[in-house]
Amino acid sequence: MIKVKKGTPLIDQHDKNYMYNGKFGGNFIPETLKKPVEDLTILFEKLRKDKQFLKQRDHYFKNYVGTPTSFVKLKNLTNYLGGAQIWAKVVSEANGGAHKIYNATVHALICKKAGKKFIVGDTGAGYAGKMLSMAAKKFGLKCKIFMGAKDIERQRPNCEAIKNNGAEIVPVYTGSKTLVDAVSECMRYWVSNCDTTHMCVGSTVGPNIFIKICAWSTAQISRELIIQIKKKFGEIPKKIKLINCVGGGSSALGFWNSFIDYDKNQVELIGVEAGGPKNSKLHAAPLSTNAKVGILHGAAQYVIQDKEGQISNTESISAGLDYPGISPIHCFLKDIKRAKYTSATDEEALEAHQLVTNFEKISPSLEPSHAFAEAIKIAPKLNKETIIVVNSCGDAKKDRDILKKRLGKKI
Ligand SMILES: *Cc1c(COP(=O)(O)O)cnc(C)c1O
C-alpha cells in the first residue's frame, strides 16, 4: 500500500501528474485554463521558498489574522463527560471568525506579488466571499465575488458584508444557480482576464495549485498547535486524537499538516463530515458514505453522485460543509488509512453546540460542532491519558439566525 512520504508536506504527496495515490486530484481543466494555472503554479512554487514572502506572510498572519490562536483545555466538558481530556484549538479567534481568512490573506499577497490589482473568487454560503472581500479591502485590491443567484437569495447577511467591504457580487444564473455554477463562472471570467486578475478558490479543492495554496495557508494552524502541545505536555502525548469537521477540507488539512509523519496509533486524525438531517437521505458526506470517484471543479475525488454520475443534491445545517466533493488530499488520506472519516447529523451538531456553549466560554459554529459531536461521542469511552483536540474553526455568531430558529436561542 502507498504510504505518506515521510518528511514531505501533505500538499506535495502527489505524483508528476499532480495525482495523489495515482487516483485523486490532477488538473482536469479546459485548454484555456492551462496557461493561467501554469503561471500561478510557477509563481507560487517560487514564493513558498522566498524568505521575504514568508516574512510577509508571517507578519500579516500575526498582525492582521491574529495568530497564534489559543489552545485551551475544556475542563468543564471533560469533567462532565468523564474519560478523555478534551482540548480545543480556538481558530475562531482569527480575524473574521474562521480559518478562511488564512487562505484569503495569502491569495491577496500572491495577487500583489503577481502585480495584479483585481482579485476574484467564488462563494456558496458567502463566507469565502466575505473573507476574500475583507482581505481585498485590507490590501487595496478590487474584488469580484461570483455567487449563485439562489445563494444570493439565501445568504443576505453575508452579501451585505461583501458589499460593505467594497466588493462587487456577480450573480450567476446558470445551472443550479449555486456554488458549483459560481465556481465555473468565476473560472471563465479568470481565463479572459488573467493578465490583470488573480483568482482565489475558497477551500482545498479545484485544480492542484489552488489545493496547494489553500492547505499551505491553513497549515499555520498545526504549526502553532504542535508548539502549543509540546509546551503543555512536554512532548507529543502517547495517545492524541485530532478531530476536525470537513467540508472542502481546508481547516482539517491545516490542523493535521504538522502531524502527518507521526504514527497513526499515536496521533489519530479524525474527519467529521456533514451527515445531514437525521431522517433524510440527503447529506454532504462523500468519504464516510463511500461515494464514487468523479471529477468536480478540475480534480478527481470522491463525490456524491447519482447512478449516471450527475452531482447529487446535498443537505446540511451547516452551510460551510454543504459541498458534494472533498479535497483530493482527504481522499488520499482515507485510502491509505492515515485519517479516519465519520459523520454527524444536523441534530447531533446542534446538541454538541449547546453542550459546549453551556459548559465553556467558546461558541463553536455549526461546522466545528460536527467535530465536537464526535468528541462527545468517543470521550467517555477513553481513559484520561488520552488527549482529544478539536479544531473550533468557526464562531457561532454567523449561525445566529439558524440557531435561533432551531434552538430558540439568542446569541
Ligand atoms: C467554510 C467552513 C468550513 C468548511 O470548509 P473546510 O474547507 O472543510 O474547512 C468549516 N468551518 C467553517 C467555520 C467554515 O467557514
Side-chain angles (χ1 to χ4, degrees):
M1 194 205 309
I2 297 176
K3 291 207 173 99
V4 290
K5 295 176 213 141
K6 298 253 175 186
T8 306
L10 256 177
I11 55 173
D12 297 321
Q13 301 266 340
H14 58 75
D15 61 22
K16 65 180 192 323
N17 298 317
Y18 300 106
M19 303 290 281
Y20 297 86
N21 215 4
K23 258 166 73 184
F24 309 110
N27 284 326
F28 294 86
I29 50 177
E31 202 51 45
T32 45
L33 258 181
K34 290 224 161 102
K35 176 82 169 81
V37 161
E38 219 174 85
D39 290 347
L40 180 59
T41 305
I42 293 167
L43 176 64
F44 177 68
E45 291 304 332
K46 203 176 89 197
L47 288 176
R48 69 188 274 207
K49 291 185 211 113
D50 177 341
K51 288 210 176 74
Q52 203 59 34
F53 184 73
L54 295 178
K55 231 166 109 180
Q56 231 182 8
R57 175 199 67 179
D58 293 345
H59 171 82
Y60 286 108
F61 274 3
K62 180 160 175 257
N63 299 296
Y64 174 63
V65 174
T67 64
T69 58
S70 24
F71 171 57
V72 295
K73 182 168 182 188
L74 306 184
K75 288 197 187 104
N76 302 329
L77 187 64
T78 299
N79 289 342
Y80 172 75
L81 293 169
Q85 295 178 40
I86 304 182
W87 293 68
K89 174 75 174 149
V90 196
V91 171
S92 59
E93 288 168 353
N95 197 357
H99 63 282
K100 285 193 175 77
I101 195 68
Y102 298 80
N103 184 47
T105 301
V106 167
H107 272 285
L109 286 172
I110 293 174
C111 180
K112 286 192 82 89
K113 284 278 175 201
K116 296 175 179 176
K117 293 195 172 59
F118 301 90
I119 194 161
V120 293
D122 50 78
T123 196
Y127 301 114
K130 185 175 151 182
M131 297 291 196
L132 187 61
S133 66
M134 267 174 70
K137 186 178 172 192
K138 166 78 183 167
F139 292 95
L141 302 165
K142 288 287 268 180
C143 178
K144 277 188 206 291
I145 301 294
F146 288 77
M147 191 168 182
K150 198 167 146 189
D151 289 334
I152 293 177
E153 274 308 305
R154 305 191 276 197
Q155 310 288 346
R156 289 200 180 268
N158 283 335
C159 294
E160 287 306 311
I162 293 169
K163 286 188 210 149
N164 288 340
N165 287 331
E168 178 194 344
I169 297 176
V170 182
V172 175
Y173 297 101
T174 49
S176 59
K177 303 187 182 66
T178 63
L179 177 64
V180 186
D181 316 289
V183 176
S184 312
E185 205 54 46
C186 186
M187 286 189 176
R188 230 167 274 147
Y189 179 89
W190 186 46
V191 169
S192 319
N193 297 277
C194 57
D195 289 342
T196 57
T197 305
H198 175 73
M199 185 175 85
C200 168
V201 175
S203 185
T204 39
V205 296
N208 180 266
I209 187 57
F210 293 103
I211 296 173
K212 273 194 166 160
I213 293 173
C214 186
W216 186 83
S217 309
T218 53
Q220 171 69 19
I221 302 169
S222 67
R223 264 200 301 278
E224 292 165 20
L225 181 62
I226 203 159
I227 296 168
Q228 290 167 323
I229 287 178
K230 284 179 181 165
K231 204 165 157 199
K232 283 275 187 244
F233 300 100
E235 57 178 353
I236 303 297
K238 297 270 170 315
K239 278 268 176 220
I240 180 162
K241 296 172 191 285
L242 305 181
I243 309 186
N244 207 122
C245 61
V246 277
S250 66
S251 49
L253 293 174
F255 189 52
W256 295 347
N257 187 66
S258 300
F259 298 92
I260 193 75
D261 282 351
Y262 284 85
D263 188 286
K264 66 177 178 195
N265 294 315
Q266 181 182 9
V267 182
E268 197 181 338
L269 311 176
I270 304 174
V272 187
E273 297 185 309
K278 191 169 67 184
N279 296 317
S280 158
K281 284 209 174 68
L282 293 176
H283 58 80
L287 295 176
S288 52
T289 58
N290 295 314
K292 283 210 216 78
V293 176
I295 302 221
L296 182 61
H297 297 144
Q301 62 204 269
Y302 291 117
V303 48
I304 303 170
Q305 54 192 295
D306 64 18
K307 281 199 200 88
E308 276 80 45
Q310 296 295 329
I311 309 296
S312 300
N313 282 334
T314 55
E315 191 175 337
S316 168
I317 192 168
S318 59
L321 303 182
D322 203 350
Y323 183 69
I326 172 74
S327 178
I329 303 183
H330 282 292
C331 301
F332 161 68
L333 293 174
K334 176 185 154 91
D335 259 32
I336 64 167
K337 299 195 163 63
R338 177 62 187 94
K340 222 169 72 179
Y341 296 87
T342 178
S343 69
T345 63
D346 288 359
E347 291 76 10
E348 288 168 330
L350 278 167
E351 219 170 284
H353 165 83
Q354 270 189 306
L355 206 59
V356 175
T357 45
N358 284 346
F359 279 117
E360 303 291 343
K361 284 201 202 83
I362 59 170
S363 180
S365 69
L366 286 165
E367 294 85 5
S369 292
H370 285 70
F372 278 111
E374 176 65 15
I376 290 163
K377 250 181 249 175
I378 63 174
K381 296 177 230 161
L382 300 165
N383 64 34
K384 67 179 195 311
E385 279 71 46
T386 304
I387 310 297
I388 290 176
V389 189
V390 178
N391 181 2
S392 196
C393 58
D395 188 273
K397 269 193 214 91
K398 73 174 182 64
D399 295 328
R400 152 181 96 219
D401 294 347
I402 185 139
L403 286 169
K404 195 167 163 210
K405 196 165 132 203
R406 295 291 291 262
L407 302 172
K409 182 172 156 175
K410 277 208 193 97
I411 62 164

